[in-house]
């Protein structure tokens, strides 16, 4: 079976294998571009997330108990 031009081009572009050192260097370069938050930002934003989770969980709990009460009164 003859190979088409596209098949030959695709095979030519295949990487030889996984290069661990190249991967590690590229990862290091990408991590150097990241803007890491300060300690104060990390603490305040984590506290905000925890408070929002508590607030949403409380609302879900209250609405669930409301539905239980209403369904118990109806049925």
């Amino acid at each position: 079976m003859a190979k088409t031009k596209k098949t030959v081009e695709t095979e030519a572009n295949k990487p030889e294998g996984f290069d661990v050192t190249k991967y590690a260097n590229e990862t290091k370069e990408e991590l150097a571009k990241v803007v890491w938050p300060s300690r104060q930002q990390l603490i305040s934003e984590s506290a905000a997330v925890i408070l929002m989770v508590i607030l949403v969980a409380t609302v879900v709990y209250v609405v669930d108990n409301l539905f239980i009460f209403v369904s118990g009164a109806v049925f």
Side-chain angles (χ1 to χ4, degrees), residues 8-58:
V8 173
E9 288 174 358
T10 306
E11 289 177 356
N13 292 335
K14 284 186 180 177
E16 292 296 319
F18 182 70
D19 186 8
V20 176
T21 55
K22 181 179 176 185
Y23 176 77
N25 288 334
E26 289 175 358
T27 302
K28 185 177 177 182
E29 289 173 9
E30 289 300 319
L31 286 175
K33 296 177 187 177
V34 175
V35 179
W36 298 100
S38 68
R39 184 177 194 87
Q40 183 60 36
Q41 285 176 317
L42 181 67
I43 292 171
S44 65
E45 291 176 15
S46 296
V49 168
I50 291 170
L51 288 174
M52 288 303 296
V53 167
I54 291 171
L55 177 66
V56 170
T58 303

